[in-house]
């Protein structure tokens, strides 16, 4: 990687000038104040991909902060957000210094602060990337402080290659997109991350950067956002009937407003655990339904991949019209705020996954195909359907019924090939960094 405004950056002269104008218009060239470049949605910022003050709130999976500095030392502090009905205080971050992974650190309910530091650094320019590996279901955290050594200074952030092309993809979905349990495998699928709702697989079983969304973006050298939450659906909240009584009891113990053990959960309890895809789309912060985005023009993707819907069939499927109408309304919403991007309805190969029931698979595949046909019959020519190929789909070494890294790689490779085939011009073009609707 090269420095945005001083290195060899040769996509085009126009794009080079836009890059420099974008970064220098919002960040100072050299300062003692942190100069941050953001990838993904963050809290405590105004929607831009930059930040000049702390704290900033890490919320979504595989979201990253980039900074460039000169100093012999650096000290970073992150603090887990206090546990709420939505999530606990589990977080896992990776630190990359000068293109090398130097640490993975975690927080949990008993230790909510993460401190990372590096000392004895050379006087050269250094690049640091901090990436959140877990989804908000486990926890969220604020980046509270970045302290440099004596005479240290922050520089304009070095922009990673995938952000310099101007290509942007947004991924929307559920646990299959978050990377839930993707690194757990058969031997490490232990349920040790316990919350008010029960226990999740250990924190180290999830690496959102190895989920199919970020892998696809990397393949295509595209900037991206992952808007995903385990258990989310398009129309319904995924709370299995068999778990309702135990869940109600746990929630009642954790919250005075919660339903009792003998009563069904109140709707807000379902929503708190499993927000709908359309809820996630509107939020700046994954676990906070009050952080509604009102200006979507700060980051506009050319492609939106919608991968939700499977959880709507965890219980008995509703009728097609009741399910399909809200999904079409969601597509209309995305078209409106992003000025009709290419929308890919991604359908998983559930017929090849042994954990899926025959009933779930049949309804899911039929309804997703019907959704695509209905969208096209409404004149939505920007909507495409990708039914992933289940032949030779990796189903070994899964944890808690969720795809392994090998399976995520398979999905990413299929989606990459598909996008290159139907959108070859996009896959080989560059776009302005300052997106407009």
């Amino acid at each position: 990687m090269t420095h945005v405004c001083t290195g060899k950056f040769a996509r085009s002269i126009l794009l080079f000038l836009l890059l420099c104008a974008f970064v220098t218009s919002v960040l100072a060239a050299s300062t003692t104040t942190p100069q941050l470049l953001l990838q993904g949605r963050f809290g405590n910022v105004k929607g831009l991909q930059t930040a000049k003050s702390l704290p900033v709130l890490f919320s979504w999976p595989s979201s990253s902060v980039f900074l460039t500095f000169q100093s012999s030392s650096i000290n970073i502090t992150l603090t887990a957000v206090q546990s709420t009905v939505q999530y606990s205080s589990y977080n896992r971050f990776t630190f990359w210094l000068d293109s090398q992974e130097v640490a993975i650190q975690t927080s949990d309910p008993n230790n909510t602060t993460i401190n990372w530091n590096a000392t004895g650094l050379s006087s050269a320019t250094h690049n640091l990337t901090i990436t959140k590996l877990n989804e908000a279901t486990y926890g969220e955290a604020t980046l509270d402080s970045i302290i440099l050594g004596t005479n240290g200074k922050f520089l304009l952030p070095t922009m990673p290659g995938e952000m310099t092309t101007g290509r942007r993809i947004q991924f929307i979905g559920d646990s299959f997109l978050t990377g839930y349990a993707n690194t757990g495998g058969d031997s490490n699928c232990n349920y040790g991350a316990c919350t008010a709702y029960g226990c999740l697989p250990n924190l180290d079983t999830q690496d959102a950067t190895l989920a199919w969304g970020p892998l696809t973006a990397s393949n295509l050298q595209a900037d991206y956002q992952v808007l995903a939450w385990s258990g989310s659906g398009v129309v319904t909240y995924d709370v299995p009937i068999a778990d309702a009584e135990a869940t109600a009891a746990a929630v009642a113990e954790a919250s005075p407003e919660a339903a009792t053990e003998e009563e069904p959960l109140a709707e807000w309890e379902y929503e708190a655990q499993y927000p709908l895809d359309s809820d996630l789309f509107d939020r700046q912060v994954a676990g906070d339904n009050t952080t509604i985005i009102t200006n979507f023009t700060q980051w506009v993707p050319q492609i939106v991949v919608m991968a939700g819907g499977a959880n709507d069939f965890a219980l008995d499927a509703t009728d097609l019209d009741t399910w399909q109408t809200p999904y079409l309304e969601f597509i209309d919403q995305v078209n409106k705020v992003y000025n009709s991007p290419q929308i890919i309805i991604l359908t998983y190969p559930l017929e090849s996954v042994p954990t899926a029931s025959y009933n779930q698979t049949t309804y899911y595949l039929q309804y997703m195909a019907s959704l695509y046909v209905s969208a096209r019959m409404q004149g939505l020519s920007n909507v495409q359907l990708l039914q992933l190929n289940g032949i030779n789909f990796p189903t070994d070494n899964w944890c808690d019924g969720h795809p392994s890294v090998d399976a995520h790689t398979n999905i990413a490779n299929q989606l990459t090939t598909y996008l290159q085939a139907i959108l070859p011009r996009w896959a080989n073009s560059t776009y302005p960094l300052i997106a407009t609707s």
Side-chain angles (χ1 to χ4, degrees):
M1 291 186 291
T2 57
H3 197 281
V4 168
C5 297
T6 59
K8 294 181 179 178
F9 183 76
R11 288 284 182 184
S12 68
I13 295 298
L14 176 60
L15 185 58
F16 175 84
L17 294 174
L18 285 170
L19 282 168
C20 294
F22 171 73
V23 176
T24 58
S25 66
V26 291
L27 296 177
S30 177
T31 177
T32 56
T33 302
Q35 312 284 292
L36 307 180
L37 184 65
L38 310 177
Q39 185 174 59
R41 289 183 180 178
F42 283 78
N44 299 337
V45 298
K46 296 181 179 180
L48 292 170
Q49 287 187 269
T50 58
K52 294 183 286 185
S53 63
L54 298 175
V56 297
L57 175 60
F58 276 95
S59 174
W60 301 95
S62 195
S63 51
S64 295
V65 164
F66 305 93
L67 64 143
T68 299
F69 65 95
Q70 290 178 341
S71 177
S72 61
S73 65
I74 185 170
N75 187 285
I76 304 289
T77 301
L78 299 105
T79 305
V81 175
Q82 184 176 359
S83 299
T84 71
V85 73
Q86 284 93 342
Y87 45 77
S88 188
S89 301
Y90 296 95
N91 290 284
R92 189 166 179 249
F93 287 89
T94 180
F95 297 81
W96 287 73
L97 181 63
D98 299 334
S99 301
Q100 298 291 322
E101 187 176 46
V102 292
I104 294 178
Q105 295 201 4
T106 62
S107 70
D108 59 49
N110 296 317
N111 185 11
T112 58
T113 300
I114 293 174
N115 289 305
W116 174 84
N117 69 86
T119 60
L121 302 177
S122 71
S123 60
T125 297
H126 300 283
N127 296 302
L128 179 68
T129 304
I130 308 169
T131 301
K132 188 172 186 281
L133 299 180
N134 62 285
E135 61 181 293
T137 305
Y138 282 91
E140 299 177 336
T142 54
L143 174 58
D144 293 322
S145 68
I146 305 172
I147 301 174
L148 301 181
T150 304
N151 298 323
K153 59 184 177 180
F154 295 96
L155 306 175
L156 291 176
T158 297
M159 188 171 286
E162 65 269 20
M163 295 181 74
T164 63
T165 66
R167 294 191 287 269
R168 293 176 292 275
I169 312 178
Q170 187 175 74
F171 303 96
I172 305 172
D174 50 35
S175 56
F176 272 36
L177 176 56
T178 66
Y180 177 94
N182 61 340
T183 61
D186 295 330
S187 60
N188 191 38
C189 196
N190 301 310
Y191 296 80
C194 296
T195 71
Y197 296 106
C199 295
L200 300 169
N202 288 343
L203 189 59
D204 63 0
T205 66
Q206 183 176 52
D207 185 341
T209 65
L210 297 179
W212 61 262
L215 291 176
T216 299
S218 179
N219 290 342
L220 295 166
Q221 281 292 281
D223 191 11
Y224 66 91
Q225 291 181 350
V226 174
L227 310 181
W229 187 290
S230 289
S232 69
V234 175
V235 178
T236 59
Y237 307 122
D238 176 23
V239 181
I241 291 176
D243 296 340
E245 183 175 308
T247 303
V251 173
E253 182 178 351
S255 171
E257 299 91 359
T260 66
E261 185 173 355
E262 293 78 21
E263 298 174 349
L265 290 177
E267 183 167 335
W268 75 268
E269 294 288 357
Y270 287 105
E271 192 276 336
Q273 294 178 84
Y274 308 105
L276 301 182
D277 288 359
S278 56
D279 298 330
L280 299 176
F281 180 73
D282 286 335
R283 296 181 185 180
Q284 187 75 28
V285 177
D288 187 348
N289 61 10
T290 67
T291 59
I292 303 301
I293 297 175
T294 57
N295 181 1
F296 284 87
T297 64
Q298 302 287 5
W299 193 91
V300 180
Q302 299 96 13
I303 297 173
V304 176
V305 180
M306 294 185 169
N311 284 321
D312 297 331
F313 302 93
L315 306 178
D316 292 335
T318 186
D319 66 274
L320 176 59
D321 183 61
T322 300
W323 179 84
Q324 182 174 271
T325 297
Y327 211 141
L328 289 171
E329 291 173 350
F330 184 31
I331 291 174
D332 287 341
Q333 179 188 7
V334 171
N335 274 332
K336 181 179 179 181
V337 300
Y338 288 149
N339 195 21
S340 299
Q342 289 294 316
I343 295 177
I344 312 299
I345 300 171
L346 185 142
T347 305
Y348 294 110
L350 291 187
E351 73 279 5
S352 68
V353 178
T355 55
S357 69
Y358 177 80
N359 181 66
Q360 179 189 25
T361 298
T362 301
Y363 279 108
Y364 171 71
L365 297 178
Q366 176 191 350
Y367 281 26
M368 295 296 276
S370 177
L371 170 69
Y372 167 67
V373 171
S374 296
R376 298 295 293 221
M377 290 178 68
Q378 290 183 10
L380 300 179
S381 59
N382 63 314
V383 176
Q384 316 295 336
L385 174 67
L386 172 58
Q387 164 66 68
L388 292 170
N389 193 334
I391 298 175
N392 297 322
F393 189 74
T395 57
D396 294 331
N397 208 32
W398 287 31
C399 173
D400 198 22
H402 282 72
S404 62
V405 172
D406 286 344
H408 279 278
T409 302
N410 181 289
I411 295 171
N413 290 341
Q414 289 194 53
L415 178 56
T416 299
T417 302
Y418 179 77
L419 292 175
Q420 290 172 331
I422 68 167
L423 300 171
R425 183 175 179 180
W426 175 87
N428 294 285
S429 297
T430 55
Y431 298 85
L433 293 189
I434 302 176
T436 58
S437 60

